[in-house]
Amino acid sequence: MNKLSWSRLVAASLAVVGALASTQALAQVPGRFYWHGLVGANGVPLIFNSLTGNSNPFDPSHQVTPNASFDATMAMMGYAKMFALGDRSAMAAIILPMGRISGDASLAGRTASQSASGFGDPMLEFAVNVIGPKAQRNIPDVLRYEPGFSMDLLADLALPIGEYNSNQALNIGQNRWYGRIGAPIVWQLGDWVPGRRTTLEFLPAVWLFGDNTDYLGGQRLKTDPMFQLDAHLTRDFTEHFWGALDLSWYTGGKASINGVAGEKLNNVGGGLTLGYTINSNLNLTVGYKSTFNSSSPGELRMDGFMISLVYGWHPLIEGMKRLKNE
Amino acid sequence: MKKPSITLIASLVAALFAVAPPVHAQQAKRPNIVMIVADDMGFADLGSYGSEIRTPNMDALAKAGVRFTNFYTHASSSPTRSMLLTGVDTHLNGLGNMDEWTAPNQWGLDGYEGVLNNRVATLPQLLKGAGYHTYMVGKWHLGKNPDQIPAARGFERDFTLLDGAASYWDMTNFTAAAPKTVFTENGRYLTRLPEDYYATKTYTDKMIGFIDESRADGKPFFAYVAHQAPHDPYHLPKDWRNRHVGEYDKGWDAVRQERLKKQIELGITPAGTKLAERMWFIPDPVVLAPASRAILGKKMELYAGMVENLDHHVGRLVDHLKSIGEYENTIFIVFGDNGAEGTDLFKMIAGSPGSRDYLWAAANWSQTNPNAWGDPGSYIGYGPMWAQVSMTPFSQYKGWVAEGGVRNALILSGPAVKRPAGSINHGLMHVADFMPTLLDVAGTSYPKSIAGKDLPPLAGKSWGPMLAGKVDSVRTDKDYLAWEIFGNRAVRQGDWKLRWQWKPYGTGEWELFDLKADPVERSDLAAKQPDKLKAMVALWDDYARTNRVILPSRGPFETLVDVLPMRVPDDPGFPPLIYKRQFVPPKDMMADPKP
């Protein structure tokens, strides 16, 4: 290894900022979302989703509209930064959903069509590691990093400022505060050598929802807390190419409108994700996810394709690349 | 049937003892010999020689025996091994040059076969004839043909790597020219390695097995434990890789200084000794980024793990001998076969993109991520900066005849050693001395001929008087030692050292050093001491004539002067640009700019 090759290793570590390849659709983030990187690293994700189902993908409570069929094209942009909190690694991020959705709902033999477009509710995210290696404050730390068994504490908060029309059920913004708390876990299985890394990852989380007091013309929409468990088995195929098997389980989240309660969710979904590091700055992820359905009309049905590009950088690495005229 | 009387039984027993005692008593007194060779381990890599590397088992042998500070090997592997096994100079025993580098003008000439030739007797051959069991495990590097392997050269039992280096995990070779490394076990070429193979562990297991299997007959044994470790590639079980994390980030200069300080405290190195110059092409670690120090330091972490793992398995062998009651009657000899390795062998073999071996390396040796270092498919060596640390305080390393290439640590303990336990000997010793010394220990002698063939003279001297505590050195002021390999050559007589080395490690001229005043060869006295120079060159001429030295027309270092930066002196504090203390304005004179 020549004396400068460590810079390439470190640059590759910026890929962890690709963690922001999140999507509210199916309320699931891909595997490798909560890997940690060099303190000071930055990331800008751009995520496209094409989704269909009987629930509004912009709504993380996954309120089901029986006999409905929605099509959504959703994009998300954001910004994330790695920093240290004491000796622990931490991340702060903001992500802004946008896009359009249209759908038909059939009720009593009549079909109603709705559509919406615009910006959704921006979400703030904060995560701090509580179990696992200390923050990677310098490049030697990056070189020696192995997650082992790592656990973070996570808090998300969505700001209810997205596009909202109280006259229709289908909206981009949700017109209420909501968020989640969770504990992302990364469990390293075997060697931590690019090309051979394997992880088992979990994200147990609880979504909490405020009331929407202007739902469909002034009604009150309440949603119970929803428990979500995401699981990913990820594995490198080569140093730059990896894949994951994804599973999600949702339960709870029973919605009521003016006190009339609906059904609580209890669904399982799964998917596949492939990731590729295009270069030291750019990561590509593609995936497909779907709920595992029964024939019940009240059960959540969604599926979707996702493509994400995440641009990551660190001033130190960029400086080194300038010196090397890369 | 009439019962035999007690008197009759007693008479028979007495009669038996009357005949048998002299033989049994004589054999019981002869000690076992365990010779442990650490491949490329440096002078300063053992705790008992000033290292921070933890080697409690080899240090325990040092504590029970004697450490030597003026012990010389050859500058590279097979020449040293040829001399320790024959006692004959390399230019006579077939290793006048390494097989890998035999020069065109040496091809086909006696003494330059590149393998141990058939005109020499071997130590195991003679010990076997004297009633010893002879066992070998580890690296041979002295020939692969059926008549050249350990089984053909005196070893009863062996488990042997015939090549000069190898993976520690499997048979994957470094070159596509010979995709598999070659092993023998008891004279048969192996088709595969045992399950759960790891070189250092397996060699130790095999040796313990050999000792146990033939122990019942009560014969003493000669165990030649020629470990691969710590030769690169630094392959290590995971448990041994992370015992020094971050410890070497401080850089090679700091570690050299710490080792020298410890050596002086231990009495290994005289007080007042300075470090040899840092090689001119190696940066001062103070100018390196933390990441560079970390990644380069990690190589040394792995090397330290290699030495500690080796020590662990040496301890297993020693413990086993204790458990079977053989420890007290065993002579232990521990040393490194040459200076530490500072040359990038992997680059030499596979460093050219587009070449056959580069492609081979891409397929088999490309695990370059630091987290994969130690795994199969990784090839890590630690480079010249850490090789200098391993050779603290000396100059240069393996392949060169500067002190750092040929002087090594030696520990000797056991029943033949009558010197104070834990003592240090500064007498002049040489690897060729093992043959006469161990033949003396075994109660036999070096024959003039074998099977009608006259044997070449021994180059070494028996250490009998030294081990008995009668003298510190078996060499007089008139005796000299001499070396030649790859065209690099040297002579030592008393405190004086003459050396010629390829540029830029040498000057391409004779250099002269007073090792008593300047053990690290900083001051060339050739111009100041012309008479001494002339006398030493005459010794060289005598050596070359006596041993039929043919200087090679080609060699591994012939183009080095065009590859390395121009050699410049290593002056502490130069340039001030780097080392001068930086100006910091006085706090009470600092101010913000005026509007």
Side-chain angles (χ1 to χ4, degrees), chain B residues 393-414:
Chain B
F394 300 121
S395 172
Q396 305 181 7
Y397 37 71
K398 179 181 176 181
W400 301 90
V401 291
E403 292 295 283
V406 292
R407 205 193 292 203
N408 220 307
L410 167 67
I411 294 169
L412 201 62
S413 74

Side-chain angles (χ1 to χ4, degrees), chain B residues 357-431:
Chain B
D357 286 337
Y358 189 84
L359 186 65
W360 177 256
N364 298 285
W365 292 97
S366 56
Q367 294 300 317
T368 56
N369 188 279
N371 285 354
W373 291 0
D375 286 354
S378 66
Y379 195 116
I380 292 300
Y382 62 3
M385 54 283 184
W386 295 114
Q388 278 210 282
V389 170
S390 286
M391 298 313 299
T392 302
F394 300 121
S395 172
Q396 305 181 7
Y397 37 71
K398 179 181 176 181
W400 301 90
V401 291
E403 292 295 283
V406 292
R407 205 193 292 203
N408 220 307
L410 167 67
I411 294 169
L412 201 62
S413 74
V417 182
K418 306 302 180 191
R419 304 181 74 91
S423 61
I424 296 172
N425 180 284
H426 303 293
L428 202 54
M429 307 293 157
H430 191 262
V431 69

Side-chain angles (χ1 to χ4, degrees), chain B residues 237-296:
Chain B
K238 289 186 172 61
D239 291 353
W240 294 85
R241 296 178 193 173
N242 296 315
R243 297 178 172 226
H244 294 268
V245 175
E247 191 174 325
Y248 294 107
D249 289 13
K250 61 187 128 182
W252 34 90
D253 281 8
V255 183
R256 276 212 300 163
Q257 285 157 7
E258 288 168 5
R259 288 193 181 187
L260 175 60
K261 182 170 179 284
K262 189 74 188 294
Q263 286 175 339
I264 292 171
E265 288 170 9
L266 291 171
I268 295 291
T269 302
T273 301
K274 292 180 179 173
L275 288 171
E277 63 174 347
R278 184 191 333 110
M279 308 281 279
W280 68 100
F281 54 86
I282 298 173
D284 186 333
V286 302
V287 304
L288 295 181
S292 296
R293 293 213 298 268
I295 207 81
L296 296 172

Side-chain angles (χ1 to χ4, degrees), chain B residues 415-457:
Chain B
V417 182
K418 306 302 180 191
R419 304 181 74 91
S423 61
I424 296 172
N425 180 284
H426 303 293
L428 202 54
M429 307 293 157
H430 191 262
V431 69
D433 299 339
F434 286 131
M435 177 71 132
T437 303
L438 297 178
L439 293 180
D440 278 355
V441 165
T444 185
S445 60
Y446 185 69
K448 287 191 175 177
S449 64
I450 279 190
K453 287 187 190 170
D454 286 345
L455 294 175

Side-chain angles (χ1 to χ4, degrees), chain A residues 194-207:
Chain A
R196 287 189 262 151
R197 291 170 300 194
T198 304
T199 61
L200 186 57
E201 303 178 16
F202 299 99
L203 172 52
V206 174
W207 286 90

